[in-house]
Amino acid sequence: MQPVADALRRLLHRRFATLGLACALALTMTWWFIVARGVWLAIEWATA
């Protein structure tokens, strides 16, 4: 029973680790998009 539990725990850990990295990448990309959009609007406002 212990090897089955260990295998299941490793599988879940690997899957959630991948999901966590994907979410971190998505949040980082969203953050940089918001920052870039803010800079773009500031430049347009300053040059208008």
Side-chain angles (χ1 to χ4, degrees), residues 17-42:
T18 303
L19 183 63
L21 286 174
C23 287
L25 179 62
L27 285 173
T28 302
M29 294 301 290
T30 301
W31 171 251
W32 282 113
F33 176 76
I34 292 169
V35 169
R37 180 74 175 157
V39 169
W40 177 265
L41 290 175

Side-chain angles (χ1 to χ4, degrees), residues 1-7:
M1 190 67 185
Q2 185 66 23
V4 173
D6 286 341

